[in-house]
Amino acid sequence: EAGVAQSPRYKIIEKRQSVAFWCNPISGHATLYWYQQILGQGPKLLIQFQNNGVVDDSQLPKDRFSAERLKGVDSTLKIQPAKLEDSAVYLCASSLDTQSLADTQYFGPGTRLTVL
Amino acid sequence: GNSVTQMEGPVTLSEEAFLTINCTYTATGYPSLFWYVQYPGEGLQLLLKATKADDKGSNKGFEATYRKETTSFHLEKGSVQVSDSAVYFCALTSGTYKYIFGTGTRLKVLA
């Protein structure tokens, strides 16, 4: 079974530039998550999709971050404009069924973003 | 609100030593509890989980018991190997289905 795919793996940009990350979840997984993991911290949920609808985006900085999941499959996370504090690893994860509190999440390898 | 507190690392052990990584939580209701592991250069993956009080999750020689009375979910392994070197994250879900992760504990096992 193919895992969660993310691209690019690494990205270096200057502040105020824009950047986009792509995620393709495991086939058949209805739920998709984007996390931000700052060095030395645990992952923080940015946004959660159930199919192509948003379940939770309470921690997404909506003035600069946006995400979409067209057709309920792959997803794109965008930052515009980027700030220095956005330097982090951006993780995508997917799971089968959000109706279970014990749902296992499957993570991609992440995209390491450096903002100069 | 919900939160997870993990012991700080790094934890450095010799091969075959006993491992404990402490995790305590604060949550409303009855959370599900998880340990995820991140090996060098890889993504996070589920190590084990427990969904109700007194449940014991186990995998690859690791164990953790859901203790509601002490709000804890400590990770243990009787004999660690060099290949266990990784970062370990305690996490929970409760009510909103949203995962809350701890800050992670780095384990280094020396041969």
Side-chain angles (χ1 to χ4, degrees):
Chain A
E1 173 181 83
V4 176
Q6 288 188 250
S7 67
R9 292 295 308 275
Y10 304 91
K11 189 75 177 178
I12 300 174
I13 62 172
E14 295 192 348
K15 60 183 178 184
R16 291 187 289 273
Q17 286 187 321
S18 63
V19 64
F21 312 126
W22 175 81
C23 172
N24 191 28
I26 293 173
S27 177
H29 281 194
T31 310
L32 185 147
Y33 311 78
W34 282 104
Y35 289 88
Q36 180 192 59
Q37 186 177 14
I38 293 172
L39 187 65
Q41 299 182 17
K44 183 184 84 171
L45 181 69
L46 293 176
I47 188 167
Q48 178 180 342
F49 293 94
Q50 173 76 3
N51 295 309
N52 60 349
V54 175
V55 173
D56 185 341
D57 63 355
S58 57
Q59 299 189 99
L60 186 73
K62 297 180 187 64
D63 57 333
R64 298 184 300 107
F65 286 64
S66 65
E68 61 183 11
R69 191 184 183 197
L70 300 176
K71 301 181 182 178
V73 182
D74 55 350
S75 175
T76 303
L77 176 70
K78 296 180 181 177
I79 307 175
Q80 183 178 10
K83 293 185 175 182
L84 296 177
E85 59 260 35
D86 298 331
S87 294
V89 176
Y90 290 85
L91 299 169
C92 180
S94 69
S95 64
L96 257 177
D97 177 9
T98 193
Q99 298 306 308
S100 168
L101 285 175
D103 209 12
T104 298
Q105 294 192 12
Y106 297 85
F107 284 83
T111 296
R112 183 177 298 277
L113 173 67
T114 302
V115 182
L116 302 175
Chain B
N2 297 339
S3 67
V4 173
T5 302
Q6 285 183 241
M7 64 186 289
E8 291 192 16
V11 174
T12 303
L13 296 173
S14 299
E15 210 165 22
E16 300 183 3
F18 184 86
L19 168 71
T20 300
I21 300 178
N22 290 337
C23 171
T24 56
Y25 67 89
T26 303
T28 56
Y30 302 94
S32 293
L33 302 173
F34 307 81
W35 278 100
Y36 279 79
V37 58
Q38 188 171 31
Y39 297 105
E42 299 183 18
L44 277 84
Q45 55 187 275
L46 179 68
L47 181 59
L48 52 85
K49 65 182 178 184
T51 59
K52 59 184 188 295
D54 301 325
D55 264 4
K56 178 185 284 187
S58 61
N59 185 26
K60 299 182 180 180
F62 291 89
E63 292 183 339
T65 302
Y66 186 159
R67 302 283 188 203
K68 189 168 175 62
E69 63 276 12
T70 55
T71 61
S72 65
F73 193 55
H74 304 322
L75 182 68
E76 296 182 336
K77 187 174 186 183
S79 176
V80 293
Q81 305 300 312
V82 172
S83 57
D84 294 326
S85 298
V87 182
Y88 292 82
F89 292 91
C90 186
L92 68 81
T93 60
S94 179
T96 61
Y97 307 104
K98 184 165 66 179
Y99 268 68
I100 306 294
F101 284 87
T103 54
T105 302
R106 182 175 300 276
L107 170 66
K108 185 182 296 185
V109 181
L110 305 176

